[in-house]
Amino acid sequence: MFAKRTNWNLTLNRLSEALAAHRAAGKPLLDLTVSNPTECGFEYDSSGILNALSNPASLSYEPNPRGLESARRAVAGYYADRGENVPLEDIFLTTSTSEAYSYVFRTLCDPGDELLIPSPSYPLFDFLADVQDVKLVRYPLLYDHGWQIDFHALEQAITSRTRGVIVVHPNNPTGHYTKHAEIAKLNSICAVRGLAIIADEVFLDFALEGDRPASFAANRSAPTFTLSGLSKICGLPQMKAAWLIASGPQEWKREALARLEVIADTYLSVNAPVQLAIPKFFEQRHSFQGQVMSRIRTNLAELDRQLAAQKTVSRLRVEGGWCAVLRVPATRSDEDLAIGLLTTQGVSVHPGHFYDFPSTGHAIVSLIIPESKFKVGLERLVAQS
Ligand SMILES: Cc1ncc(COP(=O)(O)O)c(C=O)c1O
């Protein structure tokens, strides 16, 4: 009686089983995968956040498919601070980036249409696509002293069913930003073939190197949807507030906004107290981001210190984001390595295949873990590898 799209294999994989058993046995766990910022010991302006949620204006209901103007003004202000001009009418508020993806997928794709996604990348896409009846086709990212898009493979992957190209900027977990030359190339491919760029910028502000990376929100050379939200930018995933911006050729944008408006009006999903609090949430991002960047730099320095003392494990370049990709010996599967680490050392890491790495020999650790835990977890990882 159920739809085929929900025929997921929901049995636990060996690593999830081992983790569940480890937890059930009450054994101590040094979890190097934690990326929930509310669990990492950052200081938030708690009373400011809670006060912002009790605005008396939330006692009245003002439905607006794009979201309250005051909230969209705060989103536009965020881009203005980055030097990018985003008109208020081009912004739609959503409850999460995942919901924003679903609006975009519904706007662009009929059942069976295809979207290109980077590989490696974060694992939520498969479920999002299944739920929207969209087929995902992977294009590889290549590593050679840094990550880059394999444009030859990307172009080969385009078919008559392709509707868009997803870029994660910076990517999770590779941490690489789409460079100016890559943006220009993507624009020309997408403009010529009538494809949309779908840019996920949830980690945009967490750059470790070079100049501040440009956002896609002001990209006008090709049809573009830019997605971001408060879960990473402000460290507030529990507030369920994100957004979607359409930009691109004028005629295309008018049509896209009209269609998005119907989808958004059907749900009107973002609640009033959170929308009214969004300006305050943005204000406290500077303090949050400062703490995160300092944590990431300290953990990366510790990682490099420990890696310099041995030869078995190394790390890939990190341009930004909250993760580090470790190169580990490929003498067994990444899953076996992760299970071994868990059972012998009580340390949890993500195996490369979790993020769709095509070959073995990768483990992914979060860089936002409190420094003392990160140090000890890493010592055990290195000792075990
Ligand atoms: C690249 C990327 N996009 C989106 C999300 C989810 O964001 P949200 O909480 O707004 O749905 C995540 C969560 O980890 C992510 O890594």
Side-chain angles (χ1 to χ4, degrees):
M1 74 179 276
F2 296 108
K4 288 196 198 65
R5 78 170 74 80
T6 62
N7 283 348
W8 293 297
N9 176 3
L10 297 177
T11 48
L12 291 183
N13 63 33
R14 287 192 305 125
L15 177 56
S16 308
E17 261 174 15
L19 257 175
H22 191 94
R23 288 200 167 101
K27 295 185 186 160
L29 180 66
L30 257 172
D31 191 349
L32 296 187
T33 70
V34 179
S35 61
N36 175 350
T38 65
E39 284 178 8
C40 291
F42 295 117
E43 267 181 38
Y44 290 88
D45 172 9
S46 308
S47 57
I49 290 171
L50 293 174
N51 287 340
L53 286 167
S54 55
N55 187 329
S58 58
L59 293 173
S60 50
Y61 183 35
E62 275 183 48
N64 182 332
R66 283 173 168 73
L68 289 179
E69 191 177 312
S70 57
R72 283 182 290 128
R73 213 173 274 293
V75 174
Y78 162 75
Y79 288 101
D81 286 351
R82 305 182 55 87
E84 276 131 8
N85 173 33
V86 177
L88 292 191
E89 58 279 13
D90 298 353
I91 303 172
F92 286 83
L93 298 183
T94 59
T95 52
S96 61
T97 317
S98 302
E99 188 179 60
Y101 272 117
S102 78
Y103 286 11
V104 173
F105 290 5
R106 284 324 231 176
T107 307
L108 288 177
C109 299
D110 286 317
D113 279 349
E114 297 169 3
L115 291 170
L116 304 190
I117 62 160
S119 169
S121 197
Y122 100 123
L124 192 69
F125 288 128
D126 291 298
F127 289 103
L128 274 173
D130 282 352
V131 174
Q132 316 295 332
D133 299 329
V134 168
K135 187 173 165 216
L136 298 179
V137 177
R138 280 152 167 87
Y139 65 89
L141 304 176
L142 302 176
Y143 188 81
D144 182 13
H145 298 95
W147 291 94
Q148 50 188 296
I149 295 174
D150 180 344
F151 276 103
H152 178 69
L154 186 152
E155 288 190 273
Q156 297 280 307
I158 297 173
T159 71
S160 59
R161 303 293 307 260
T162 311
R163 295 288 170 267
V165 181
I166 295 177
V167 284
V168 185
H169 177 61
N171 186 280
N172 176 14
T174 66
H176 101 285
Y177 284 88
T178 316
K179 309 294 175 310
H180 286 296
E182 292 180 312
I183 295 176
K185 181 119 196 188
L186 271 175
N187 276 336
S188 79
I189 292 173
C190 290
V192 168
R193 303 191 191 228
L195 308 178
I197 297 173
I198 303 157
D200 177 332
E201 297 188 341
V202 297
F203 291 108
L204 185 69
D205 292 347
F206 302 95
L208 285 159
E209 302 178 351
D211 297 338
R212 188 158 61 183
S215 164
F216 278 86
N219 191 43
R220 291 186 176 79
S221 306
T224 306
F225 296 103
T226 302
L227 287 57
S228 189
L230 298 191
S231 61
K232 315 288 191 264
I233 298 293
C234 300
L236 295 171
Q238 74 278 37
M239 296 305 172
K240 307 308 297 176
W243 59 88
L244 161 63
I245 294 164
S247 63
Q250 211 48 39
E251 191 50 29
W252 174 85
K253 191 175 83 173
R254 202 183 48 73
E255 190 61 30
L257 292 176
R259 287 163 192 254
L260 281 171
E261 186 172 322
V262 176
I263 295 178
D265 200 32
T266 307
Y267 294 103
L268 293 169
S269 53
V270 192
N271 69 70
V274 163
Q275 291 191 67
L276 289 161
I278 282 176
K280 178 70 198 175
F281 294 163
F282 269 115
E283 268 174 36
Q284 60 99 55
R285 78 181 186 281
H286 302 291
S287 149
F288 170 72
Q289 292 185 5
Q291 295 174 64
V292 171
M293 292 313 293
S294 136
R295 172 89 46 94
I296 289 175
R297 287 184 203 285
T298 307
N299 283 342
L300 262 182
E302 175 62 24
L303 177 60
D304 289 341
R305 193 189 64 76
Q306 291 197 30
L307 295 185
Q310 50 82 64
K311 287 199 164 58
T312 327
V313 183
S314 58
R315 77 164 169 97
L316 304 190
R317 183 173 155 201
V318 186
E319 293 172 31
W322 293 5
C323 287
V325 178
L326 306 182
R327 262 207 186 117
V328 291
T331 45
R332 50 183 164 161
S333 77
D334 293 354
E335 186 169 49
D336 282 338
L337 177 128
I339 292 173
L341 257 179
L342 177 68
T343 49
T344 62
Q345 306 287 337
V347 172
S348 173
V349 297
H350 277 141
H353 74 76
F354 181 81
Y355 289 98
D356 204 22
F357 275 77
S359 56
T360 51
H362 300 97
I364 290 87
V365 294
S366 166
L367 291 170
I368 64 163
I369 291 164
E371 291 85 347
S372 54
K373 278 193 188 157
F374 186 82
K375 178 173 183 291
V376 177
L378 209 61
E379 280 164 0
R380 294 189 196 170
L381 185 155
V382 169
Q384 164 84 13
S385 298

